[in-house]
Amino acid sequence: MSAPDIILSARQLTKRFSGFTAVNGVDLDVERGTIHALIGPNGAGKTTCFNLLTKFLQPSAGTIKFNGRDITSMAPAAIARLGVVRSFQISAVFPRMSVLENVRIALQRRRGDSFDFWRNQKVLNDYDAEARERIEEVGLTEFIGETAGELSYGRKRALEIATTLALEPEMLLLDEPMAGMAQEDVSRISALIRRISAKRTILMVEHNLSVVADLSDKITVLARGEVLAEGPYETVSKDPRVIEAYIGAGHG
Amino acid sequence: MSVTTETTYSSASQAMPIGTPRHHIIIFAVLLGLLLIAPFLLYPVFIMKILCFALFASALNLLLGFGGLLSFGHAAFFGSASYVTAHAAKVWGLTPEVSILLGTGSAAILGLLIGALAIRRQGIYFAMVTLAFAQMVFFFALQAPFTGGEDGIQAVPRGNLFGVLSLADDRTLYFVVLAIVFGGLLAIYRIIHSPFGQVLKAIRDNEPRSISLGYKVNRYKLAVFVMSAALAGLAGSTKSLVFQLASLTDVYWTMSGEVVLMTLLGGMGTIFGPFVGAAVIVTMQNYFASFGAWVTILQGTIFVISVLLFREGIVGVLSKWIKKPL
C-alpha cells in the first residue's frame, strides 16, 4: 500500500484554558477521501479540537497543516476560503432568511467579497438555479421560500449541509450532525453524508455510535483531551481502554 | 450580536422575494406623493423635522435592524455633522450643499474611527463603547471654542443652493430637504437589498456561521457602521440648516436614546418603521410641548407599552398582519 494521502494533520495540538488543559498534545491525521470520526465521552475535548482545527479557538501549542500548508496562524474566515468548512453543534442556519437565501449566501462567496452595496441584489439571481439544485439534494425543495428559523430541527440540519456543500469544500468538519435528531432524520442525514463523502473528506464529531460505526472509515477516540485509540470501528470498539473510558465516564 | 434577541425583530423576513417587492415601490410612491403636498397643508419646518429624524432613525436602523449592532452613541455623528455644517455655513460662508457634504464627511470619518474600535466588542459592550465615545464627542463640543459651548452655533445662514437658489423661504428649503432625505432613504433601501446587504443580514442572523462560510465579518460591520454614521451625519447636517442651529442637544446622549426609541417604536429591521417612529415621536414632542416635562414621561410610557405589547414596533406588527415585509 502506498503512503496515505493526508489532507489535514495536527501535531501536538494543545489548548489550555486558565488552569485546565482541554486538549493535550493531540496528533491527528485525516486521510483524503475518507470519513473520519472523532468520538469520546463528554468533556473529552472533541469540540475544542474542532474549534482549534478551524481556528475558532487559538491553540496554545501545536501545528495544523492542510494539504501540507501550515494553517496554524490563519484566521477562521481564511481557513474557510481554503476549503475547510465546518458546521456547528447547534444548527447553524440564518434564521430570518429564506431557505433559498441561506444557500445563496454561500454561493455568493464565489463573487469574492460582496462590498457592492450600491448594486441591486438581483445580481444574485444568477445563483438561484444552483441553489435550487443544492436544496433539492437535501430534499428541501418544498420549503424553498420558507424562513429558515421556522423549519423543523432535522430540516435545519439538512439546510445547513446544503449551505456548506454550496461552498464545494474540499473538507467538511461536522460537529455532531445528528445531535437531537429523530430517527428518521438520522437515517436521511446519514445517507446524505455518505453521498457527499464521495468527492470529499469528512471529519465529524458524533455521539451516535451506530452512525459512527456505519459511516466512518477511521475513528479517533479522545478522552481527557488526549488520543486514547485510533483505527477502524471494529478494532476501536474492542479496545479495553475505550470501553473503560466510556463506562468510566458513564459512572462518573 | 446577542443584545438583539430574535423575538424583538419584526417579521419582515418572511421569505423575502428576490428583487424589489411591488408593494415597497407603491409605499415609496405614496409617501413621496404625501410629502410633496404636505408643506401646503402643514407647517413646513415641522415636517422637515420629521424628515430629518426619519433619516436619522433609518440610518440607525440600518446598523441595528440589518447589521444587528446596537449603537448607543449615534448622537455623536448626528451632532458633529450638525456642528461642522453650521460652522461651514456661518463662519466660512460656504454654500449649503458644500456645508452638508462637509458635515456628512466628518461624520463618516468619525464613524470610521469609533467604529474601528467599537466593532471589536460584542453585544452590550459594543453599545457601551459607542456611548463612551459619544460622551467624549459631547465633552469636546462643550469645550471646543468653535462650537459656542452652551449657546451652540446660532443664526446659521441657510444660504443659496449652488450659490443661486435662496433657501430662506421655508417651502423652498422643504423641497431640498425632501430630496436629500428621500435620496437617503432610497440609498438605505438599496444598501439593504444589495449583495452587501445579504451578507449583512447573514452576519446579523448568525455571526460564527458567516465566518465559517468565509466572510470577514469585521470588515462588513465596519463598512455598515461608517455608512450608518455618514447617513446620521447627513440627517444632522440637514437639520442644522433647517433650524439654523447646532447645539449641545444634538450631541447629548439623550439624542442617541431618542433615535433608538424611534427605531424600536416604528419597528427595527423594517423598511418604513423608523420613518413612522420618527413621525410619532416628533409629533408628540411638537403638539404636547405645552405639557412641558410631561412629554418625557409620556414618551417613557409609550416606550414601555410598545415594548410590552408590540415588541416588533408599529410597522413590524402591521407587517405581520398583512404577512408581507414592510
Side-chain angles (χ1 to χ4, degrees):
Chain A
M1 238 169 81
S2 59
D5 180 7
I6 302 301
I7 183 165
L8 182 79
S9 86
R11 285 287 165 273
Q12 289 303 305
L13 203 58
T14 301
K15 179 68 187 175
R16 286 179 215 99
F17 297 106
S18 47
F20 166 69
T21 308
V23 172
N24 191 10
V26 165
D27 290 341
L28 188 72
D29 285 312
V30 182
E31 206 174 320
R32 191 183 306 278
T34 60
I35 300 183
H36 192 131
L38 210 53
I39 65 168
N42 283 329
K46 306 180 295 287
T47 295
T48 310
C49 240
F50 244 59
N51 285 333
L52 293 174
L53 291 172
T54 47
K55 290 306 300 300
F56 274 70
L57 281 176
Q58 182 63 37
S60 313
T63 54
I64 308 161
K65 278 186 179 166
F66 175 67
N67 279 333
R69 181 172 170 187
D70 193 328
I71 59 168
T72 319
S73 54
M74 275 192 183
I79 288 176
R81 283 158 186 244
L82 277 183
V84 187
V85 178
R86 66 167 294 175
S87 73
F88 294 83
Q89 236 174 66
I90 311 156
S91 80
V93 297
F94 302 110
R96 299 183 64 210
M97 300 168 86
S98 72
V99 168
L100 181 67
E101 284 178 308
N102 262 268
V103 177
R104 233 178 31 173
I105 202 79
L107 293 169
Q108 197 182 331
R109 265 288 324 288
R110 282 187 211 149
R111 314 173 72 230
D113 284 315
S114 290
F115 284 108
D116 41 356
F117 60 85
W118 57 87
R119 200 165 280 151
N120 195 311
Q121 63 184 3
K122 277 181 187 151
V123 298
L124 301 176
N125 289 358
D126 295 351
Y127 299 114
D128 283 3
E130 196 180 340
R132 278 170 207 284
E133 259 172 55
R134 299 292 180 187
I135 291 164
E136 168 114 55
E137 264 175 20
V138 298
L140 286 178
T141 304
E142 57 181 305
F143 304 100
I144 199 157
E146 212 130 300
T147 308
E150 276 152 30
L151 296 176
S152 75
Y153 186 78
R155 293 196 176 108
K156 275 185 194 152
R157 302 297 320 217
L159 174 58
E160 192 189 337
I161 290 175
T163 308
T164 307
L165 286 177
L167 290 177
E168 299 193 345
E170 242 187 294
M171 181 163 188
L172 262 85
L173 280 77
L174 305 175
D175 195 355
E176 298 194 27
M178 313 293 179
M181 249 185 217
Q183 192 49 47
E184 74 235 43
D185 286 331
V186 168
S187 21
R188 211 182 53 225
I189 301 294
S190 261
L192 181 63
I193 292 177
R194 190 190 298 285
R195 203 163 72 232
I196 62 179
S197 71
K199 285 167 282 180
R200 29 184 83 83
T201 312
I202 295 177
L203 176 66
M204 63 177 190
V205 166
E206 184 50 58
H207 274 303
N208 188 329
L209 287 182
S210 70
V211 169
V212 171
D214 189 36
L215 283 178
S216 39
D217 302 298
K218 192 176 177 187
I219 295 169
T220 300
V221 185
L222 287 181
R224 292 192 195 85
E226 292 177 30
V227 176
L228 193 65
E230 198 169 64
Y233 184 76
E234 300 76 51
T235 332
V236 166
S237 61
K238 290 189 187 98
D239 192 315
R241 288 170 305 169
V242 174
I243 296 166
E244 160 76 36
Y246 265 88
I247 293 171
H251 286 271
Chain B
M1 200 184 80
S2 53
V3 128
T4 48
T5 58
E6 251 175 75
T7 44
T8 56
Y9 280 122
S10 81
S11 57
S13 54
Q14 283 135 5
M16 189 91 67
I18 284 97
T20 314
R22 211 162 44 125
H23 68 280
H24 284 177
I25 299 174
I26 294 169
I27 295 172
F28 269 123
V30 170
L31 192 62
L32 183 61
L34 289 176
L35 288 169
L36 283 172
I37 53 167
F40 301 101
L41 307 170
L42 296 156
Y43 181 45
V45 174
F46 165 64
I47 313 168
M48 284 191 275
K49 188 176 177 189
I50 292 183
L51 284 172
C52 291
F53 278 97
L55 179 59
F56 186 21
S58 298
L60 182 91
N61 185 46
L62 173 64
L63 187 67
L64 174 60
F66 296 94
L69 297 165
L70 172 61
S71 161
F72 215 78
H74 253 45
F77 312 120
F78 183 81
S80 58
S82 169
Y83 275 115
V84 169
T85 299
H87 187 79
K90 189 176 181 185
V91 182
W92 295 337
L94 296 173
T95 53
E97 72 283 354
V98 177
S99 308
I100 288 178
L101 278 178
L102 281 178
T104 309
S106 319
I109 292 168
L110 192 63
L112 185 66
L113 294 174
I114 295 181
L117 293 161
I119 57 157
R120 290 156 195 267
R121 292 288 169 265
Q122 315 246 320
I124 190 76
Y125 301 101
F126 173 87
M128 288 299 113
V129 171
T130 53
L131 175 61
F133 278 111
Q135 286 302 90
M136 283 158 65
V137 172
F138 171 78
F139 188 72
F140 178 81
L142 182 64
Q143 298 292 326
F146 75 92
T147 56
E150 303 272 0
D151 299 331
I153 305 176
Q154 299 181 5
V156 177
R158 286 177 178 174
N160 299 318
L161 189 69
F162 303 115
V164 286
L165 179 68
S166 166
L167 299 181
D169 177 58
D170 279 349
R171 234 171 251 170
T172 314
L173 179 67
Y174 176 85
F175 289 104
V176 174
V177 170
L178 179 59
I180 292 172
V181 170
F182 215 76
L185 294 179
L186 289 177
I188 291 173
Y189 187 82
R190 172 47 64 85
I191 294 171
I192 294 167
H193 297 93
S194 69
F196 172 79
Q198 280 288 316
V199 178
L200 207 58
K201 285 176 233 173
I203 295 170
R204 169 199 70 189
D205 273 14
N206 194 332
E207 188 174 332
R209 179 56 168 165
S210 308
I211 298 172
S212 85
L213 294 182
Y215 288 107
K216 295 170 180 163
V217 299
N218 274 354
R219 294 194 191 172
Y220 290 88
K221 285 188 188 175
L222 183 58
V224 73
F225 194 92
V226 172
M227 287 175 206
S228 175
L231 287 158
L234 180 61
S237 292
T238 310
K239 190 239 73 173
S240 76
L241 288 186
V242 171
F243 290 99
Q244 305 185 275
L245 172 74
S247 74
L248 286 174
T249 319
D250 301 340
V251 276
Y252 199 45
W253 65 268
T254 53
M255 182 63 84
S256 300
E258 212 157 81
V259 74
V260 171
L261 173 65
M262 288 172 183
T263 308
L264 293 182
L265 183 66
M268 84 166 153
T270 65
I271 307 290
F272 302 101
F275 197 108
V276 173
V280 171
I281 298 281
V282 171
T283 307
M284 256 173 43
Q285 287 170 345
N286 229 53
Y287 287 97
F288 298 158
S290 51
F291 295 116
W294 286 94
V295 174
T296 327
I297 294 174
L298 206 66
Q299 253 183 42
T301 315
I302 289 182
F303 186 52
V304 170
I305 291 173
S306 81
V307 168
L308 288 178
L309 296 184
F310 49 107
R311 230 186 265 188
E312 286 112 348
I314 298 166
V315 172
V317 169
L318 282 177
S319 164
K320 238 182 193 167
W321 274 351
I322 64 166
K323 296 195 162 54
K324 274 185 183 151
L326 284 176

